[in-house]
Amino acid sequence: MPGTDSSVPFIRVTGLKKSFGAQKTLQGVDLDICHGETLVLIGPSGEGKSVLLKHIIGLLHPDEGRVELDGVNLCSMTERQLLIARQRMGYLFQNAALFGSLTVAENVAFPLKEAGLRDQKQIADRVHEALDLVELSAHKDKMPVNLSGGMRKRAGIARAIVTRPECILYDEPTAGLDPVVTDVIDHMIQRMQKRFRVTSVVITHDMSSVFRIADRVVMLKNGVVSFNGTPGELRASPEPEIQNFIAGRSGLIA
Ligand SMILES: Nc1ncnc2c1ncn2[C@@H]1O[C@H](COP(=O)(O)OP(=O)(O)O)[C@@H](O)[C@H]1O
Ligand SMILES: [Mg+2]
């Protein structure tokens, strides 16, 4: 059965290169993501963290290199195989990207309908379950415009988990949120991991989140993986660049 062989990494990225025009964004990224781990991706803005995530779900195609899911290259998949592969992953977009004209519940139901589910009762049950997990059931009939920033992110998480994916990719789930709401979202990420043993990939700039949720931390810098280790190893790194990043220093002030 796919997804259960722990000897093969769930996701394997090798030699991934991607340019936009003259701009070389990813310049040879190598990364294994194991089943069930929470991997946190850090690094300066504009280094290609979101671009990397989009390759992992097959929204972008590499110029060179490959992304494998359970040992199968995404680029060699047929449209149908890619659709099935995508259904194994949930994706929280950087800005939550809810549909403004749909209610919270309709937004969350969307991926189920896209996956071909037609049974209204089944859809309602799954939406209820997802909203319950992110504690948004009471707000299911609201429009996105009437939600706070934290609620929007939680609605986005509900939409990402409603298909019960094996892997959830979170692109800056706590950006722009206050520390208490950030703590709530971090707990939700941990809850999904514990309850469903999902693999999680989280992009964040929030170092307190990193140390709270990460099993492993990967730093993307100059188009390659510049650090790959445990949170403890990150903290102990002798690299001034990493210490500056952890402390939120620009390195411009002596
Ligand atoms: N579809 C695209 N077309 C052109 N340039 C892009 C596209 N997507 C991302 N980029 C560029 O790639 C770089 C990395 O972007 P991104 O992955 O969003 O960075 P971040 O690490 O902050 O998530 C940026 O300079 C961005 O402008
Ligand atoms: Mg980004």
Side-chain angles (χ1 to χ4, degrees):
M1 196 183 126
T4 51
D5 182 359
S6 55
S7 65
V8 178
F10 184 22
I11 297 160
R12 168 164 279 176
V13 177
T14 34
L16 184 62
K17 293 189 182 173
K18 183 72 175 180
S19 297
F20 297 104
Q23 186 196 350
K24 293 184 172 137
T25 298
L26 301 180
Q27 302 189 49
V29 172
D30 296 307
L31 181 63
D32 281 354
I33 303 169
C34 305
H35 286 279
E37 76 171 330
T38 298
L39 185 138
V40 173
L41 200 54
I42 61 172
S45 286
E47 288 286 328
K49 300 183 296 299
S50 297
V51 167
L52 176 58
L53 236 56
K54 285 174 187 161
H55 280 87
I56 291 174
I57 49 164
L59 279 180
L60 286 173
H61 294 289
D63 296 337
E64 281 178 52
R66 55 206 278 159
V67 177
E68 290 166 24
L69 187 69
D70 281 329
V72 183
N73 187 353
L74 288 185
C75 280
S76 69
M77 288 184 184
T78 61
E79 273 301 311
R80 177 157 173 73
Q81 286 172 319
L82 195 59
L83 204 70
I84 293 167
R86 279 216 194 103
Q87 277 166 18
R88 297 175 62 190
M89 296 191 235
Y91 187 54
L92 176 70
F93 285 88
Q94 191 155 354
N95 53 7
L98 300 174
F99 299 111
S101 59
L102 301 181
T103 66
V104 169
E106 288 165 348
N107 264 284
V108 176
F110 192 84
L112 294 175
K113 293 180 178 165
E114 211 178 30
L117 203 62
R118 292 286 170 266
D119 184 327
Q120 292 305 320
K121 164 93 174 70
Q122 219 175 4
I123 292 174
D125 286 350
R126 294 281 282 275
V127 168
H128 178 79
E129 178 192 66
L131 285 173
D132 197 41
L133 272 165
V134 299
E135 294 164 20
L136 267 188
S137 300
H139 306 281
K140 68 182 175 57
D141 295 322
K142 287 192 177 158
M143 303 305 285
V145 70
N146 297 324
L147 301 179
S148 68
M151 287 158 84
R152 265 199 286 274
K153 295 277 189 182
R154 276 149 59 196
I157 293 176
R159 194 175 58 179
I161 62 167
V162 74
T163 54
R164 297 183 185 152
E166 291 163 58
C167 175
I168 307 177
L169 309 168
Y170 302 88
D171 198 341
E172 302 204 19
T174 61
L177 303 180
D178 69 54
V180 174
V181 180
T182 294
D183 191 61
V184 169
I185 300 275
D186 284 348
H187 274 108
M188 275 166 194
I189 293 171
Q190 287 172 315
R191 188 186 294 175
M192 302 308 153
Q193 199 265 344
K194 291 210 177 75
R195 175 115 31 124
F196 303 112
R197 314 190 78 196
V198 294
T199 307
S200 312
V201 184
V202 186
I203 297 178
T204 187
H205 282 115
D206 189 326
M207 291 315 293
S208 60
S209 289
V210 172
F211 291 111
R212 234 178 346 229
I213 65 175
D215 296 319
R216 199 149 59 88
V217 186
V218 164
M219 187 172 192
L220 211 56
K221 184 93 197 281
N222 300 327
V224 296
V225 170
S226 67
F227 175 89
N228 186 346
T230 64
E233 287 164 348
L234 182 79
R235 219 191 280 270
S237 167
E239 292 293 326
E241 214 174 70
I242 286 179
Q243 289 308 321
N244 281 339
F245 192 84
I246 293 176
R249 290 186 296 256
S250 66
L252 295 172
I253 302 166

